[in-house]
Amino acid sequence: MRNRPGRHFLQIPGPTNVPGRVLEAIGRPTIDHRGPEFAALGRECLDAMRRMLGTRGRVVIFPSSGTGAWEAALVNTLSPGDRVLVYETGHFARLWAEVARRLGLEVETVEGDWRSGVDAGAIEKALSRDAGGARSIRAVAVLHNETSTGAASDVPAVRQALDASGHPALLLVDTISSLASMPYEHDGWGVDVTVAGSQKGLMLPPGLGFNAVSEKAWRAGAAAKLARSYWDWRAMEDPNAAGYFPFTPATNLLFGLKEAVAMLEEEGMERVFDRHRRFAAATRRAVQAWGLDFNCRRPEHRSASLTAVRMPDGWSADALRALILERFDVSLGNGLGKLDDRVFRIGHLGDLNDVTLLGTLAAVEMGLGLAGAPFQRGGVDAAMDHLAAAPAAMVDSS
Ligand SMILES: *Cc1c(COP(=O)(O)O)cnc(C)c1O
């Protein structure tokens, strides 16, 4: 590979750009994970993740990708043959359902159109059909933010659907591509198990998976019969209480986690969320000016952390992405599953500012022109107008 001057733009919807402060923290010499220095780090990281996830209860940290945390959510709460209702918002929901099937669970899907968030009414209907004594659905699994389609979902509305149907199923929620970019409240929203990962809004490299666990989910775990060893929450309990882990944790990523959460909290979480809303709004202005379609049809479902854009019919999204990478050194997200080659995804989550976003949008606009795709210029102008008119709340200098 020849050297490319300047900084590569990693504008996929995760992994995201890792700030220098976090890289420096990760670069510190590894310490003894059973030594005295480690305990404070372990406790600080668990507390930091409680704040990020919005819980006073149990949080579990695995050295894993998000997929591992998906598996942990299932094996710690369910038994072979249990039914799980999965709302198929898109590719990632389908993958989680596939994990459940491979583990020996019975999956019932609510089909989505891959262009919107969860319809809580459809979940309520499915739960109402599962009435009577049997009540065989043990868990409902939804994604807070479907990264393949750019659609976010109203988790409290899903909670209400469970409550309205009086159904005792557990509520499992994936917040891998929304945590620390969009508001999320594990306790406040009545979620039983939350699944998260390090490499998106938390601005870390891949390698940490998280669960937040409600009391109800913890109790369900006592009766759950799926085989588990590495993913067993209970093995974490005693060591975690003292700041340690039952096996070797990803020590250097924990250095990074502590630093990343410190950075987010210095900015202030409300500001972090506002910043992402602003980036999403500016990106939408650009897409509209280009005259391209959003993959997510309903404006109120459009994600604050990424925007999935549909290519005009007959035009390859992958060819456009390849051209933009080659010419401008900017990586955009590809279409996944059913959306293969149909959409490109602009990640606007994690460590970025106004001009990072504008650089990304400029690469897209130049790429569309070079590809000869049917579109109108002026997207970057529209985004600039939005960003200039709605200034970011600056970090306090005090
Ligand atoms: C990225 C992502 C995943 C996959 O996580 P891995 O770390 O690749 O295992 C799962 N769900 C959502 C919503 C994601 O965005």
Side-chain angles (χ1 to χ4, degrees):
M1 283 290 266
R2 79 197 140 92
N3 177 51
R4 307 199 66 167
R7 207 71 201 221
H8 173 68
F9 271 49
L10 183 67
Q11 297 309 133
I12 60 176
T16 63
N17 293 291
V18 182
R21 258 176 77 176
V22 173
L23 288 172
E24 279 165 30
I26 290 171
R28 285 171 42 197
T30 304
I31 59 172
D32 174 5
H33 61 286
R34 307 214 188 273
E37 211 189 319
F38 187 89
L41 174 69
R43 274 197 297 262
E44 279 164 349
C45 285
L46 289 160
D47 280 343
M49 284 313 297
R50 276 188 197 97
R51 296 194 300 278
M52 291 295 108
L53 289 154
T55 182
R56 295 174 164 285
R58 291 185 165 86
V59 162
V60 181
I61 305 178
F62 292 109
S64 79
S65 86
T67 303
W70 269 347
E71 178 159 338
L74 299 170
V75 297
N76 279 288
T77 54
L78 300 166
S79 299
D82 277 357
R83 274 168 76 208
V84 183
L85 185 71
V86 179
Y87 195 106
E88 199 187 285
T89 38
H91 183 71
F92 286 102
R94 184 177 271 186
L95 288 179
W96 197 4
E98 195 47 44
V99 171
R101 271 189 211 99
R102 286 192 208 139
L103 290 170
L105 296 165
E106 222 177 277
V107 175
E108 180 179 334
T109 34
V110 181
E111 297 286 332
D113 64 359
W114 288 46
R115 296 194 70 172
S116 25
V118 167
D119 169 10
I123 290 181
E124 192 174 332
K125 260 188 218 129
L127 292 175
S128 304
R129 279 198 300 275
D130 186 41
R135 303 231 112 166
S136 61
I137 295 175
R138 292 271 172 255
V140 174
V142 297
L143 274 61
H144 181 215
N145 192 61
E146 175 55 79
T147 323
S148 66
T149 67
S153 289
D154 184 348
V155 174
V158 177
R159 175 74 259 169
Q160 274 176 10
L162 274 113
D163 295 345
S165 51
H167 202 290
L170 296 169
L171 176 56
L172 316 180
V173 179
D174 171 326
T175 179
I176 295 180
S177 63
S178 46
L179 191 72
S181 302
M182 295 155 64
Y184 186 84
E185 295 291 337
H186 175 86
D187 290 354
W189 293 353
V191 178
D192 290 303
V193 185
T194 298
V195 176
S198 55
Q199 75 272 31
K200 302 190 183 179
L202 289 171
M203 314 185 293
L204 290 159
L208 295 177
F210 309 96
N211 286 154
V213 183
S214 73
E215 270 311 309
K216 181 175 163 183
W218 183 260
R219 283 196 306 271
K225 299 255 165 16
L226 279 175
R228 55 186 184 268
S229 165
Y230 181 78
W231 303 113
D232 195 352
W233 290 336
R234 282 174 163 70
M236 293 279 189
E237 197 178 18
D238 292 340
N240 276 184
Y244 295 100
F245 289 81
F247 43 72
T248 314
T251 310
N252 291 56
L253 288 178
L254 296 177
F255 289 149
L257 176 63
K258 183 181 157 189
E259 193 66 24
V261 172
M263 288 177 70
L264 289 163
E265 291 181 335
E266 283 165 28
E267 183 178 353
M269 294 316 295
E270 284 313 313
R271 284 184 176 138
V272 170
F273 300 143
D274 276 346
R275 180 162 56 83
H276 286 85
R277 284 187 203 105
R278 230 172 123 257
F279 292 157
T283 303
R284 288 171 206 149
R285 301 284 170 108
V287 173
Q288 277 161 341
W290 291 328
L292 299 180
D293 282 340
F294 295 101
N295 183 65
C296 180
R297 283 201 178 94
R298 291 174 55 181
E300 69 275 22
H301 289 183
R302 284 177 197 146
S303 167
S305 63
L306 79 138
T307 300
V309 185
R310 292 177 81 87
M311 279 302 272
D313 282 340
W315 292 84
S316 162
D318 287 345
L320 175 75
R321 288 189 316 106
L323 188 156
I324 290 170
L325 176 61
E326 167 60 25
R327 287 294 300 271
F328 307 115
D329 204 17
V330 174
S331 291
L332 300 172
N334 64 329
L336 292 165
K338 279 190 213 173
L339 300 174
D340 179 34
D341 208 24
R342 290 286 300 129
V343 307
F344 62 90
R345 296 173 299 143
I346 302 169
H348 35 76
L349 73 167
D351 186 45
L352 75 159
N353 60 24
D354 290 7
V355 293
T356 322
L357 180 66
L358 288 171
T360 305
L361 297 174
V364 175
E365 187 160 328
M366 289 187 284
L368 287 164
L370 290 168
F375 84 109
Q376 284 100 53
R377 294 191 178 277
V380 177
D381 287 292
M384 285 195 294
D385 286 346
H386 182 79
L387 293 171
M394 301 304 282
V395 179
D396 288 333
S397 51
S398 57

